[in-house]
Amino acid sequence: MESTLDIFIKAIFSENMIFAYFLGMCSYLAVSKTVKTAVGLGAAVIFVLLVTVPVNYLLENYLLKAGALEWINPDWGVNGASPIDLSFLSFIMFIAVVASIVQLVEMLVEKFAPSLYGALGIFLPLIAVNCSILGGALFMQDRQYSTILDATAFSLGSGIGWFIAIVAIAAIREKIRYSNVPAPLRGLGITFIITGLMGIAFMSFSGIKYGKDEVKAETVQVDDTNNTNH
Amino acid sequence: MKFLENIVHKMEPKFAKGGKLEKWHPMFESFTTLAFTPAIVTQKGAHIRDGVDLKRTMITVIMAMVPCLLFGIYNTGHWEMVAAAGDRGLDFWANGGAKFMAGLWVVLPLIVVSYGVGLTIEFIFGFLRGHSLHEGFLVSGMLIPLVMPADVPLWMVGVATAFAVIIGKEIFGGTGMNILNVALTARAFLFFAYPTSMSGDKVWMAGTESKVDGFTGSTALGDLATFMSDKPVFENLEAYTNNYSFFDSVWGMIPGSIGETSLIAILIGALILLITGVGSLRIMASFFIGGYVMGLILNAFGGNEFLDLPAHFHLAIGGFAFGAVFMATDPVTASQTATGKIIYGFLGGLIAILIRVLNPAYPEGVMLAILFMNVMAPIIDHYVVQGNIKRRLKRVKTA
């Protein structure tokens, strides 16, 4: 099993939301014109991911997963008399949680930190429709983290990875503002190409192993699948 | 020279605006400025003038690369003969002339292909967009062959050069506008597109595959990386240093990419760059320090032979020194501010050794570390500049 630190570092670099999965591209492309707004949106994404993923983790494990309702009635567990599987509701539940928490966060920030609220502006409500937030929740469901701590580390790492990506491209776009880019590529075209080139640079971290044990575990897994295939 | 100058002056009106050959002006200008200092002088105001323009800067860098190139040619020839004989114990200095010729036979086509493809593309862009030939490719075209393994197919070099020049540079507007180092973009492109031709133990010596059975052409780094897996090539660190001593690595008598092996040749190049003021001492020094510090940190963790490798070995093997001197100092893609350069170099060195040791897929981490820092350089600059503004504002307020 991966340690919490591995999950955190992996989520920042080798499984970066932008460069590995291309999630949250719309706001990444739209709000990366200046570093200042990019920092604002990036911070908001870190914050919202950090709140929504653990909440969704609790929902997933105590409400949605097959047999998750066992804590209410043992009959509803996976091995119970009448098992209940609510996982078909996960999309609608996750997005509802994201939207409501973004609203809640917005109200709280406005009440207690008006200066931060002013700095974030429109980006805070916009985050409700940022794919990387729902993506974070769905990855958490898919990867079945064993503890809420792991899920939180994953969410924080993903947020920081997204933050680094948008801030870096914002700085590059500020730098190339006076470049003589061919007319058809100006604006979004060149931004897509920069994103691809940045993806090459971020590939340096993919495949980092954190010790001998993990390598062994993987080879064993490969052997198993081979056997079942034959 | 006078004779040539006269011809150029005679031809000039034909290429000027409205002349017969107006369309070919970019090409004409490129060739004349390569040979002569342009006669254009500043008309108004007081400006500091210097004969050193971009072309001369680039040629200085090429001259700094010559020691690496010559040693690389000899080394390539040596390892080709080693591979042919299947004997790693071959005396390095024996039979020198034949080795140099053999190496030249491998390296020269790489240089021709790299310059041929790159300059053709530069000319086409020059025509289409109406600018003169960009000088930046003079250096990139020499760097690309130097960072290739000896056995790489020529067509791959052509494809990679085309990718790097078009996608990496020209669509950003040409020299001075690119965000990633062009030569490294070419290498990274090949590395991810054709991994079997760019890594492993078959590619570092020309003609390894066809010759002797059971002979592996692995590099020092490739062998070291096996310490991280279950089947190391050497039993322990001592066996490794018996095979590749520290001084072998410093001299460069080890297999590897063509230009990267000899620390001494690279340091001669670094000296040329520093004396002429073309290369940045801040970046070079902080890059080496960053790598050394990461080596010490990994030593402190320890655990296996690769992690225990003395930190000064890391600076001598692989492409670390070559990257630090010729790639990281690229004035376009590195940080521009003084403080930024130090941060950029230090983090670059740190990440290079980190990837090299901890990422078994990429034992040659220097290339990717520099690319990563290229991406991060603008943001470093941004915050250095913001910090300066803030500090000065404070000074104004208190005064």
Side-chain angles (χ1 to χ4, degrees), chain A residues 13 19 34-36 39 163-165 167-176 178-183 185-186 189-190 193-212 215-216 219, chain B residues 125 129 131 163 167-168 170-174 176-180 185 188-189 192 227-230 304-305 332-334 336 351 354-355 358-362 365 368-369 371-372 374-380 382-383:
Chain A
F13 292 112
F19 298 121
T34 60
V35 173
K36 211 176 166 194
V39 169
F163 178 88
I164 292 175
V167 171
I169 200 173
I172 291 174
R173 284 181 78 173
E174 278 192 4
K175 185 185 172 186
I176 66 159
Y178 300 105
S179 296
N180 180 20
V181 176
L185 283 173
R186 279 190 196 144
I190 197 78
I193 291 169
I194 296 172
T195 309
L197 290 174
M198 289 169 78
I200 292 182
F202 266 78
M203 276 180 81
S204 47
F205 298 99
S206 63
I208 288 191
K209 296 280 188 292
Y210 303 92
K212 282 182 179 177
V215 182
K216 272 181 201 159
T219 49
Chain B
F125 268 88
R129 309 200 63 203
H131 59 61
F163 176 85
I167 303 290
E170 282 300 330
I171 60 161
F172 288 96
M177 315 286 188
N178 48 318
I179 55 163
L180 294 185
T185 312
F189 171 77
F192 291 120
F227 280 130
M228 300 296 277
S229 70
D230 298 331
N304 70 30
E305 288 79 357
V332 178
T333 56
Q336 315 286 325
I351 295 174
L354 185 78
I355 296 175
L358 291 184
N359 196 339
Y362 313 140
L368 294 161
L371 282 178
F372 184 75
N374 283 168
V375 166
M376 291 299 158
I379 193 70
I380 296 174
H382 178 88
Y383 280 110

Side-chain angles (χ1 to χ4, degrees), chain B residues 1 4 49 96 120 188 192 199 204 206 215 222 259 266 269 289 303 338 359 374:
Chain B
M1 265 336 225
L4 206 66
R49 261 166 266 146
T120 310
F192 291 120
S199 50
W204 304 105
F215 175 80
I266 293 166
I289 293 170
N359 196 339
N374 283 168

Side-chain angles (χ1 to χ4, degrees), chain B residues 75-93:
Chain B
N75 200 37
T76 306
H78 171 69
W79 287 102
E80 190 179 349
M81 287 191 181
V82 168
D87 172 22
R88 279 189 174 242
L90 222 60
D91 182 27
F92 189 79
W93 297 111

Side-chain angles (χ1 to χ4, degrees), chain B residues 257-381:
Chain B
S257 291
I258 291 164
E260 73 176 18
T261 54
S262 171
L263 186 62
I264 298 212
I266 293 166
L267 289 182
I268 294 172
L271 211 61
I272 297 175
L273 289 183
L274 291 177
I275 289 173
T276 53
V278 171
S280 158
L281 177 63
R282 280 197 176 87
I283 294 179
M284 283 186 210
S286 57
F287 202 93
F288 276 108
I289 293 170
Y292 193 73
V293 167
M294 194 68 215
L296 291 180
I297 293 174
L298 292 171
N299 285 349
F301 274 101
N304 70 30
E305 288 79 357
F306 201 3
L307 294 174
D308 284 335
L309 185 75
H312 57 273
F313 268 84
H314 275 301
L315 306 185
I317 56 176
F320 186 85
F322 193 80
V325 171
F326 293 112
M327 305 288 202
T329 53
D330 177 356
V332 178
T333 56
S335 280
Q336 315 286 325
T337 51
T339 323
K341 279 177 181 164
I342 293 174
I343 300 170
Y344 164 91
F346 187 77
L347 285 179
L350 213 68
I351 295 174
I353 301 300
L354 185 78
I355 296 175
R356 167 186 287 183
V357 176
L358 291 184
N359 196 339
Y362 313 140
E364 195 42 276
V366 177
M367 158 185 84
L368 294 161
I370 296 174
L371 282 178
F372 184 75
M373 288 319 292
N374 283 168
V375 166
M376 291 299 158
I379 193 70
I380 296 174
D381 279 341

Side-chain angles (χ1 to χ4, degrees), chain A residues 139-171:
Chain A
F139 276 131
M140 175 275 297
Q141 183 188 34
D142 192 42
R143 291 176 189 163
Q144 301 181 334
Y145 291 117
S146 52
T147 64
I148 192 164
L149 190 67
D150 285 357
T152 314
F154 163 74
S155 68
L156 185 61
S158 302
I160 292 175
W162 204 89
F163 178 88
I164 292 175
I166 194 171
V167 171
I169 200 173

